[in-house]
Structures are given as C-alpha cells and as structure tokens.
Amino acid sequence: MQIVISNSSDKPIYEQVASQVRSLIMSGELVAGQQLPSIRALAAELRISAITTKRAYADLEAQGFICTVPGKGSYVAGDNLELLREERLRQVEASLAKAVEDAHLAGIGKEELHEMLDLELEEER
C-alpha cells in the first residue's frame, strides 16, 4: 500500500492518509476483505504518530470503507459497492461544481458549457 505524506499540504496528515486509502479502495487496488496494515505498522512505515493513523482508520470506519475486528486488525469493508458509487457521485458533483465555477469566471454561458460537456461525452464513446 503506497501512501505519500506531504508536509506542505494544507490537509492534516490523518486526512491525507484517509483520503489515499479511500482512493485505493475506490480504484479497486484494495479489495473487500483485504487486511490493512496495523495502526502501528502503518505509523512506523509513514513515520507518523500511531494516534494519527488511528484517527485516519477511525474516519474510514465511520464512513464505512473499512471495518475493524478487535485483536485481528482492520479490513476493507465488504459489500460496499453502493458506498463506493455514492463516493464517486460526490466526486463527480464536486468536479462539476468546480467546472461551473471556472466557466462562470471565464464568462462561459450555460449553453456553451452544455456544448462543451456534450463534446466530452461524445469523445468518450
């Protein structure tokens, strides 16, 4: 599991860890039932506090991406296809909101923006 911590990021370290693990799950690189590194092992690997890693795992568990079995470890949650779809929808909505904001700042109207989206969709086929 490849996680990179950036000290220059404005995001807290626990958010960086959680975000990257979430991305690995969503991309299918981490699959349902797969065991994650222990909190202490991941903390040592990343050279961060175990408390920080514990916070990242707690956030992921609260969001339904992982589950923890006391005494055994943390695993990628099974049967989370709907959760993954919802997360992807949120990402697309955020991207679209950013595109609308950028279009507004550039003086691009609704019709022109629709044309641009239609062209992108046609190129995908």
Side-chain angles (χ1 to χ4, degrees):
M1 184 165 75
Q2 182 72 19
I3 295 178
V4 178
I5 302 299
S6 171
N7 290 326
S8 62
S9 174
D10 59 340
K11 289 172 82 174
I13 293 173
Y14 76 90
E15 277 186 29
Q16 292 180 49
V17 172
S19 174
Q20 290 179 55
V21 171
R22 192 172 27 259
S23 293
L24 291 169
I25 293 169
M26 290 179 55
S27 72
E29 194 170 322
L30 293 175
V31 297
Q34 184 173 349
Q35 186 170 16
L36 299 173
S38 72
I39 290 172
R40 291 191 192 284
L42 185 58
E45 179 183 330
L46 298 176
R47 296 187 194 138
I48 60 175
S49 165
I51 294 169
T52 301
T53 306
K54 183 177 181 180
R55 171 82 187 269
Y57 276 22
D59 285 0
L60 288 165
E61 188 164 15
Q63 295 165 359
F65 285 97
I66 68 172
C67 58
T68 301
V69 179
K72 293 196 177 194
S74 297
Y75 299 84
V76 176
D79 301 326
N80 58 358
L81 294 177
E82 188 60 31
L83 178 66
L84 293 177
R85 177 170 163 62
E86 284 299 318
E87 181 66 21
R88 286 186 183 119
L89 284 173
R90 277 194 297 274
Q91 289 177 346
V92 170
E93 287 171 350
S95 296
L96 287 172
K98 175 78 169 105
V100 168
E101 178 184 336
D102 290 347
H104 179 72
L105 292 172
I108 298 171
K110 181 178 176 181
E111 290 77 22
E112 191 175 0
L113 187 59
H114 276 278
E115 287 177 31
M116 293 168 73
L117 180 58
D118 289 341
L119 284 172
E120 287 297 321
L121 290 170
E122 286 175 15
E123 289 179 14
E124 287 291 314
R125 294 180 190 158

